[in-house]
Amino acid sequence: MEESMEEEEVLTYEAMMDDQNHNNWEAAVDSFRQPPPPLSIPAPVREPPGGQLLAVSAVSIDRKGPKEGLAMGPPPPPPEANGVIMMLKSCDAAAAVAKAAPAPTPSSTININTSTSKFLMNVITIEDYKSTYWPKLDGAIDQLLTQSPGDYIPISYEQIYSCVYKCVCQQHSEQMYSDLIKKITHHLERVSKELQASPPDLYIERFNIALGQYMGALQSIVPLFIYMNKFYIETKLNRDLKDDLIKLFTEHVAEKHIYSLMPLLLEAQSTPFQVTPSTMANIVKGLYTLRPEWVQMAPTLFSKFIPNILPPAMESELSEYAAQDQKLQRELIQNGFTRGDQSRKRAGDELAYNGSSACASSRGYR
């Protein structure tokens, strides 16, 4: 009887504990299923994975009753996980991956930016100038300095002007001007040596060719370098490119040969047609352009080709000038010079007029 009563008490106690555990389980599940509050979620603190799980109060359950004292652990988690917990776990995983990935070094970023800016701005380095741009200019200058009058030069003036423009814009004007002066100086030194080796009978003609060829080349070289002349030579050096290049010919060619050339010119002047008048005129005018004070070496020679060299003529000197002209005419006739058609016609008219006048005089007509 007593044993049956004890068994009923135990069964009653176990049923009561089962009801209490069931109520605690439902409360825990309801807390998981509640929607998250509308407030913003604070940044998670770096903790080991699973540290952010919501704690569920553990209830010690004694299934066998207080006599045996068996402690039961908390109930297993519900099958449906909370969205907030999953988001926090994914954030932790992403943070772990970010920590594992190496950060980019500053040097690599700087190299990329430098190469990009160089590509966008078309920067011309000094190496680019020496290897690409100056060789094009050097070849064109060579052809212009050695061309003969009337020759066709197969160069692109637009391309050469574009090279000069780009080099000036990239601050290579000083280097380009220095290279141009060295290039032309070397050419003129070679020309001077060739003139020194010329025989006297060809000296005047070869000097005339060298002078005309150089002056003709300047008519193309100076316009090609006009951008450098405007923004470097005139602005910083206060000079002009054409004047500088003419000065080079004066220093390296004309000054070295003027004292050999002038006696030959005076000798050729005294012998008509030893040198063609066009060659004589080109040389005299060229020397006057290079250095006007050379007029003092032979004023009479220069005065024949350049006006206002000698002082104004006096009335008392007119007879002397007339005698010089008559002497020149006789020398021209002796060398086979013939007058033009108009001169012949005028001479024939004068003879006809003089003949008719003589006939009238012989007949007594006045």
Side-chain angles (χ1 to χ4, degrees):
M1 196 64 186
E2 291 180 358
E3 291 179 359
S4 61
M5 291 180 63
E6 289 180 358
E7 290 178 357
E8 290 179 356
E9 290 179 357
V10 169
L11 294 174
T12 304
Y13 178 77
E14 288 179 354
M16 181 182 63
M17 293 302 295
D18 289 339
D19 293 340
Q20 184 178 0
N21 290 336
H22 179 72
N23 294 335
N24 292 337
W25 171 254
E26 289 182 350
V29 171
D30 291 339
S31 66
F32 277 104
R33 290 179 178 177
Q34 288 179 356
L39 299 177
S40 60
I41 300 174
V45 181
R46 296 292 181 232
E47 293 182 0
Q52 296 83 2
L53 295 175
L54 299 178
V56 181
S57 59
V59 179
S60 298
I61 303 175
D62 192 358
R63 292 283 182 182
K64 297 293 181 71
K67 292 183 179 180
E68 294 181 4
L70 296 177
M72 301 299 293
E80 296 182 2
N82 189 287
V84 177
I85 297 175
M86 296 302 295
M87 181 180 70
L88 294 176
K89 287 183 177 181
S90 63
C91 291
D92 289 337
V97 173
K99 286 182 179 180
T105 59
S107 60
S108 62
T109 305
I110 292 174
N111 292 336
I112 293 174
N113 292 338
T114 304
S115 61
T116 303
S117 61
K118 178 179 178 180
F119 174 77
L120 294 177
M121 296 181 63
N122 263 339
V123 175
I124 300 176
T125 63
I126 188 64
E127 290 79 12
D128 296 334
Y129 165 80
K130 292 180 178 180
S131 62
T132 303
Y133 289 87
W134 175 248
K136 295 180 180 179
L137 300 175
D138 184 86
I141 294 169
D142 263 335
Q143 295 184 16
L144 292 173
L145 289 174
T146 56
Q147 69 174 341
S148 300
D151 286 354
Y152 170 74
I153 304 299
I155 62 174
S156 172
Y157 288 90
E158 181 180 0
Q159 183 181 14
I160 301 304
Y161 181 85
S162 177
C163 288
V164 174
Y165 175 82
K166 291 177 181 178
C167 293
V168 172
C169 292
Q170 295 292 326
Q171 307 298 320
H172 296 301
S173 300
E174 183 177 358
Q175 182 65 43
M176 184 165 52
Y177 175 75
S178 176
D179 291 339
L180 177 63
I181 296 299
K182 291 178 181 178
K183 173 71 178 178
I184 295 181
T185 299
H186 179 71
H187 169 77
L188 293 177
E189 289 176 349
R190 184 172 65 252
V191 170
S192 179
K193 291 179 181 179
E194 292 175 356
L195 287 175
Q196 289 177 353
S198 299
D201 56 334
L202 299 176
Y203 190 88
I204 295 177
E205 188 64 33
R206 290 184 179 179
F207 185 89
N208 178 58
I209 293 174
L211 177 62
Q213 193 175 50
Y214 185 76
M215 291 300 179
L218 294 190
Q219 294 180 3
S220 298
I221 294 175
V222 173
L224 289 176
F225 289 86
I226 190 173
Y227 202 75
M228 180 186 71
N229 184 46
K230 182 177 181 181
F231 291 95
Y232 176 71
I233 301 176
E234 292 181 355
T235 304
K236 295 186 178 181
L237 304 181
N238 295 322
R239 297 200 303 267
D240 182 75
L241 178 60
K242 184 176 181 180
D243 294 340
D244 288 355
L245 298 184
I246 290 177
K247 185 178 179 181
L248 289 180
F249 188 90
T250 304
E251 294 176 350
H252 295 281
V253 179
E255 284 185 351
K256 295 180 179 180
H257 297 271
I258 186 66
Y259 295 103
S260 301
L261 179 65
M262 193 59 67
L264 295 176
L265 293 176
L266 293 174
E267 180 182 355
Q269 178 194 9
S270 61
T271 306
F273 298 101
Q274 181 178 350
V275 177
T276 60
S278 59
T279 299
M280 185 72 72
N282 291 337
I283 293 177
V284 172
K285 292 178 180 179
L287 293 176
Y288 183 77
T289 301
L290 297 178
R291 186 159 294 177
E293 53 267 28
W294 283 339
V295 170
Q296 305 301 325
M297 299 179 66
T300 304
L301 174 64
F302 280 86
S303 66
K304 291 183 177 181
F305 303 97
I306 300 173
N308 301 324
I309 295 296
L310 297 176
M314 304 296 292
E315 185 177 357
S316 58
E317 299 175 348
L318 292 178
S319 58
E320 182 179 354
Y321 293 148
Q324 292 179 0
D325 291 341
Q326 292 175 1
K327 179 182 178 182
L328 177 61
Q329 290 177 3
R330 288 193 298 270
E331 292 176 350
L332 292 176
I333 294 173
Q334 291 175 0
N335 286 275
F337 179 79
T338 57
R339 298 182 178 182
D341 294 338
Q342 295 297 326
S343 299
R344 239 184 264 109
K345 182 179 179 181
R346 285 196 299 271
D349 293 341
E350 290 176 0
L351 290 175
Y353 175 78
N354 292 334
S356 61
S357 298
C359 292
S361 299
S362 63
R363 295 181 180 181
Y365 295 100
R366 299 293 179 185

